[in-house]
Amino acid sequence: MTRIRLEGVTKTYGNVIAVNNITLDIEKGELFTFLGPSGCGKTTTLRIIAGFEIPDSGKLYFDDEDVTFLKPYKRNTAMVFQNYALWPHMTVYENVAYGLKIRKKQLGLTDEDIKKKVLEALELVKLSGLEDRYPLQLSGGQQQRVALARALVVKPRVLLLDEPLSNLDAKLRVEMREEIKKIQKKLGITTIYVTHDQLEALSISDRIGIMNKGSLVQVGTPQELYFKPRNIFVADFLGRSSIYYGELVSKTNGIVTVRLEGTEMLLEGTTPFDSLPGKVAVVIRPEVVKPVSTMIPSKNAVKGVVDFAMFIGDKIESRIKIGGLSLLAYFPNTMPVRVGEEILLHIPPEHTIVIPPVQE
Ligand code: ATP
């Protein structure tokens, strides 16, 4: 198991800052995900860790070893790519065995050892019996498993996964992310995962680093990032939310009161910050909004009109107009929610998140 440390890592291409001064520790055995929109620098960061790119400045450590300038093949990392990058003229067996065969002498392996390791890797990814097929004779999901087996068979110090599921259909993606997580925990291998899919990141990761425009914006467990976003970019990118701006009225006993911009409306909330500026942002997740039958005595009890309601199976997704504000809310899927009708709601202060109004 290997600990990874990035220290002030920066990489530019011409005048594009692809990775901007990232400092980060990834723990032994951790599944760490870089999540962010297209072009935010996720892949470049992964390629720096693999050794395919050298940073312009900063250092990279595997445990206490400075590997910033170490050749990729000396780092003992293995990468799974979005397009699998299997060799079409080789069978499944040959694809998986390749990495061991080229290191046969160095590792002191016999053909029998190689066979044993390849069959074990194929069993791990549930592909036993398909050794003699060629990649083109496999489904996308099976090809992805071959790519995973090929990466794992060399027992890398670090496993790198670059959008490994994005070519699969939605159902298979969910199945595979469960399996990758299980295999990763079973082997305990330090793993770095890159995706722009927030659900994938939330479900698979021990911790997530959210990136925007080359910078690491916030690092935390999926729960920390979801419940305690420290800026608007994270609140907006991870999960869904209504975001309002306003002025801080008071902060007592952990309860923050905010007057929403352009209204007389006061909302109470909580904050992950020790101190807040005068102007703040308020983040409300749609699932915390509760329909109530009578107006309860709370600042956060509001009356609105249903602007839009959509049955989407497990819930009703709705937008409620409250004066000039629009609030996204999820309601139980059996609740009658009719457009144009009045609705009483409570927004629990403990789930009303108040943060500084910064974007990045
Ligand atoms: P995606 O999800 O679309 O793959 P990403 O978050 O992985 O995006 P990167 O591929 O790391 O982003 O790219 C970060 C920025 O650096 C982008 O603006 C990209 O255009 C630029 N970039 C990446 N590689 C190169 C390169 N070899 N030459 C020039 N610019 C590059």
Side-chain angles (χ1 to χ4, degrees), residues 34-334:
F34 287 107
L35 171 70
S38 183
C40 72
K42 312 177 289 288
T43 299
T44 306
T45 309
L46 198 71
R47 289 173 60 80
I48 288 171
I49 296 169
F52 302 144
E53 302 282 352
I54 304 291
D56 301 340
S57 58
K59 295 267 180 216
L60 175 71
Y61 296 92
F62 283 2
D63 294 324
D64 293 325
E65 185 189 355
D66 181 348
V67 296
T68 317
F69 300 103
L70 195 68
K71 294 264 184 281
Y73 62 87
K74 290 194 171 162
R75 295 188 187 198
N76 195 12
T77 63
M79 189 134 155
V80 174
F81 299 90
Q82 182 176 348
N83 60 4
Y84 322 131
L86 300 177
W87 292 291
H89 60 287
M90 291 186 194
T91 63
V92 167
Y93 183 92
E94 288 162 350
N95 263 283
V96 178
Y98 184 81
L100 293 175
K101 280 190 180 159
I102 57 171
R103 277 177 252 188
K104 192 175 164 188
K105 267 209 186 117
Q106 183 195 339
L107 299 173
L109 295 173
T110 63
D111 286 344
E112 265 315 297
D113 297 331
I114 291 177
K115 186 169 180 192
K116 187 164 171 277
K117 284 175 188 288
V118 171
L119 295 182
E120 270 171 16
L122 287 173
E123 195 183 332
L124 191 66
V125 301
K126 300 190 181 151
L127 276 188
S128 299
L130 298 187
E131 294 79 16
D132 296 332
R133 295 253 193 113
Y134 286 89
L136 281 175
Q137 298 170 317
L138 298 174
S139 70
Q142 290 168 331
Q143 290 182 34
Q144 211 283 336
R145 286 165 196 266
V146 177
L148 192 60
R150 186 177 62 177
L152 293 171
V153 79
V154 296
K155 299 240 167 1
R157 288 175 86 176
V158 180
L159 177 65
L160 305 169
L161 303 163
D162 190 3
E163 306 252 7
L165 307 183
S166 45
N167 284 347
L168 304 180
D169 66 45
K171 196 162 175 285
L172 208 50
R173 261 205 314 263
V174 174
E175 272 174 42
M176 277 309 292
R177 74 185 185 215
E178 278 180 30
E179 248 174 74
I180 289 180
K181 192 174 166 97
K182 272 192 206 150
I183 291 172
Q184 191 269 340
K185 284 290 159 249
K186 186 169 169 186
L187 301 180
I189 180 172
T190 309
T191 300
I192 307 179
Y193 197 99
V194 159
T195 182
H196 61 265
D197 181 330
Q198 44 148 324
L199 271 183
E200 210 166 288
L202 284 171
S203 56
I204 209 167
S205 317
D206 294 315
R207 284 190 309 151
I208 301 170
I210 299 203
M211 290 187 73
N212 187 25
K213 296 180 189 157
S215 298
L216 201 50
V217 184
Q218 189 176 345
V219 176
T221 63
Q223 288 84 351
E224 278 164 355
L225 295 177
Y226 189 82
F227 293 119
K228 292 183 180 164
R230 292 183 70 86
N231 67 50
I232 295 169
F233 180 82
V234 175
D236 198 32
F237 192 77
L238 200 68
R240 300 186 70 195
S241 50
S242 304
I243 299 175
Y244 308 120
Y245 297 90
E247 266 187 48
L248 189 67
V249 175
S250 64
K251 186 171 179 242
T252 39
N253 299 331
I255 293 288
V256 183
T257 306
V258 180
R259 178 177 295 106
L260 299 185
E261 206 170 71
T263 73
E264 284 306 303
M265 197 173 146
L266 295 176
L267 267 188
E268 286 183 341
T270 50
T271 183
F273 287 87
D274 293 335
S275 68
L276 283 166
K279 294 235 179 266
V280 291
V282 178
V283 177
I284 300 167
R285 299 291 191 191
E287 70 276 14
V288 309
V289 177
K290 293 278 166 282
V292 286
S293 48
T294 51
M295 207 65 170
I296 52 173
S298 158
K299 288 196 180 66
N300 290 31
V302 293
K303 193 189 279 182
V305 174
V306 178
D307 190 31
F308 159 90
M310 194 162 64
F311 173 78
I312 52 169
D314 63 340
K315 57 184 168 281
I316 291 172
E317 185 179 319
S318 178
R319 278 203 171 273
I320 311 295
K321 279 254 171 257
I322 303 163
L325 302 175
S326 171
L327 178 73
L328 181 67
Y330 293 159
F331 298 125
N333 55 5
T334 50

